[in-house]
């Protein structure tokens, strides 16, 4: 971290995590020069699902929940940004406090519960940026008290298809009761059928990705892969936060309810990613998320089978210059290994990682 990053982190860490998050959004919204983006490198470009990514690193959903700062995130060096999770109706989420820093583990536990301003507010912002360019995905979810959760996803597709570079169906958050049950095969099949039908009649047809949990067992992964292929979903995002607390040093906070993200998630999420690559084959688009905080971890996700990678928690601990450092580090790796494209690395460690499940 630079001296400026360390000062900024110390300032933000003097506030509770949710206040600090709001301050970082405000800084980006105001256009403060929080970091310089790296230079473009043709070897890092990726073409996937009809989209041309300037580099394979993205900001994961959960940071910009209300689509307030996607363009500011792209200026930090990200090749794409994913906003949301957005639900049809505004909802406050779970009671505070609901975010906890596990500093010794470089991790975070959150139980936010899809707090967001709803479809209408996000649509207004996304409509205002239409035509600016840049790849911005929209992560859609269901309201906690919805009588028809699948209907909520259909509404998300219909509402955001015209604005989204891609859509992410998020059924893997542990913080909405019963949501992860939608990963079970029968419910998942109905959900994906209705989502794809909604896309077919929408005003545009962006790629659709499914975001899954890291806490799934082999049979569940096989069922998900089968439904993804059968329903012709465009890709999978692996993974959301984990309920596991294995090996944490921050024992005083380990018992807090919610999903764990950050460094401790890297191993499990990467193993699940590799197994999904094996199950889905070489053509399916996969985005790897979980514990990415350096060029090395980003490259390891690609070795395990990821076409693209995302981060969020890593930036909390490494500062807003992290995406630029990762992209620059990937370019240096391509130099060192004399790669024509970073894609040459994909799947080279897949078998090794899948054996760790």
């Amino acid at each position: 971290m630079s001296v400026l990053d360390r000062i900024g982190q110390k300032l933000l860490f003097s506030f509770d995590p949710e206040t600090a998050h709001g301050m970082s959004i405000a800084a980006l919204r105001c256009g403060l020069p929080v970091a310089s983006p790296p230079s473009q490198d043709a070897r890092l470009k990726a073409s996937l699902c009809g989209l041309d990514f300037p580099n394979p690193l993205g900001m994961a959903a959960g940071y910009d929940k209300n689509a307030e700062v996607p363009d500011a995130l792209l200026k930090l060096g990200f090749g794409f940004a994913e906003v949301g999770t957005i639900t049809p109706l505004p909802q406050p989420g779970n009671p505070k406090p609901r975010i906890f820093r596990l500093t010794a583990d470089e991790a975070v536990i959150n139980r936010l519960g899809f707090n967001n301003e709803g479809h209408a507010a996000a649509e207004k912002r996304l409509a205002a940026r239409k035509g600016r360019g840049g790849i911005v995905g929209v992560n859609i979810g269901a309201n906690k008290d919805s009588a028809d959760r699948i209907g909520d996803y259909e509404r998300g597709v219909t509402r955001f298809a015209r604005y989204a570079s891609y859509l992410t169906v998020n059924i893997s958050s542990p913080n909405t009761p019963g949501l992860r049950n939608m990963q079970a095969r029968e419910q998942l099949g109905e959900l994906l059928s209705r989502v794809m039908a909604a896309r077919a009649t929408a005003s545009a047809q962006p790629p659709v990705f499914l975001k899954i949990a890291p806490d799934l067992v082999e049979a569940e992964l096989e069922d998900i892969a089968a439904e993804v292929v059968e329903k012709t979903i465009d890709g999978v995002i692996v993974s959301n936060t984990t309920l596991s607390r294995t090996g944490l040093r921050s024992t005083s906070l380990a018992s807090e309810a919610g999903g764990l993200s950050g460094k401790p998630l890297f191993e499990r999420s990467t193993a699940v990613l590799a197994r999904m690559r094996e199950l889905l084959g070489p053509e399916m688009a996969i985005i790897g998320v979980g514990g990415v905080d350096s060029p090395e971890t980003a490259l390891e996700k690609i070795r395990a089978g990821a076409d693209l990678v995302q981060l969020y928690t890593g930036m909390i601990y490494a500062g807003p210059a992290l995406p630029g450092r990762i992209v620059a580090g990937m370019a240096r790796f391509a130099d060192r290994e004399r790669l024509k494209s970073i894609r040459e690395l994909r799947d080279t460690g897949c078998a090794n990682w899948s054996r760790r499940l």
Side-chain angles (χ1 to χ4, degrees), residues 149-150 153 171 178-184 187-188 191:
R149 284 184 170 173
I150 294 179
Y153 288 97
I171 54 171
L179 189 76
R180 284 190 170 188
N181 295 339
M182 297 179 78
Q183 295 175 121
Q187 288 190 59
L188 180 63
L191 168 69

Side-chain angles (χ1 to χ4, degrees), residues 42-220:
R43 296 167 301 178
L44 302 186
K45 291 181 179 179
S47 295
L48 200 68
C49 301
L51 300 171
D52 294 322
F53 297 79
N55 69 65
L57 182 68
M59 171 56 94
Y63 177 74
D64 188 10
K65 289 179 174 290
N66 295 303
E68 296 178 87
V69 291
D71 294 294
L73 289 169
L74 295 175
K75 289 177 182 177
L76 294 180
F78 287 111
F80 63 108
E82 186 172 320
V83 301
T85 298
I86 307 169
T87 58
L89 300 177
Q91 61 182 25
N94 294 319
K96 298 179 182 180
R98 52 194 182 177
I99 309 178
F100 306 89
R101 296 188 195 98
L102 284 68
T103 306
D105 298 288
E106 294 186 39
V108 165
I109 291 174
N110 93 80
R111 51 172 179 264
L112 288 162
F114 286 174
N115 58 310
N116 74 107
E117 297 172 3
H119 280 183
E123 182 184 24
K124 185 177 180 180
R125 295 185 182 109
L126 290 168
R129 74 165 302 275
K130 193 168 174 62
R132 290 183 194 169
I135 296 176
V136 176
V138 178
N139 185 301
I140 55 175
N143 282 112
K144 179 180 179 180
D145 298 325
S146 175
D148 180 9
R149 284 184 170 173
I150 294 179
D152 281 8
Y153 288 97
E154 291 174 308
R155 284 186 279 278
V157 171
T158 300
R159 192 123 193 193
F160 294 112
R162 74 188 73 180
Y163 309 114
S165 302
Y166 66 89
L167 292 163
T168 297
V169 176
N170 183 4
I171 54 171
S172 50
S173 169
N175 300 318
T176 296
L179 189 76
R180 284 190 170 188
N181 295 339
M182 297 179 78
Q183 295 175 121
R185 187 160 189 177
E186 185 175 348
Q187 288 190 59
L188 180 63
E190 182 184 357
L191 168 69
L192 297 183
S193 292
R194 287 172 61 178
V195 161
M196 296 307 281
R199 186 185 70 167
T201 59
S203 56
Q205 286 75 46
V208 172
F209 289 77
L210 176 70
K211 188 165 186 174
I212 67 171
D215 305 316
L216 299 162
V217 299
E218 173 67 19
E220 293 170 318

Side-chain angles (χ1 to χ4, degrees), residues 4-5 28 32-38 72 75-77 315 319-325:
L4 185 60
D5 281 343
L28 288 172
L32 295 180
V34 292
S36 299
K75 289 177 182 177
L76 294 180
M315 207 160 79
L322 179 62
R325 289 199 298 271

Side-chain angles (χ1 to χ4, degrees), residues 290-356:
V292 173
D293 59 3
S294 65
E296 292 73 25
T297 49
L299 291 166
E300 203 57 42
K301 292 283 188 187
I302 296 173
R303 288 190 184 93
D307 297 289
L308 307 169
V309 298
Q310 291 177 320
L311 63 81
Y312 172 8
T313 302
M315 207 160 79
I316 294 173
Y317 290 98
L322 179 62
R325 289 199 298 271
I326 290 177
V327 172
M330 294 173 91
R332 288 193 299 272
F333 177 85
D335 280 336
R336 192 164 61 249
E337 299 299 318
R338 299 182 180 179
L339 302 179
K340 294 180 179 178
S341 169
I342 204 72
R343 185 176 171 83
E344 294 174 39
L345 199 63
R346 207 201 78 179
D347 299 344
T348 56
C350 185
N352 178 58
W353 273 104
S354 70
R355 286 196 293 267
R356 302 189 194 189

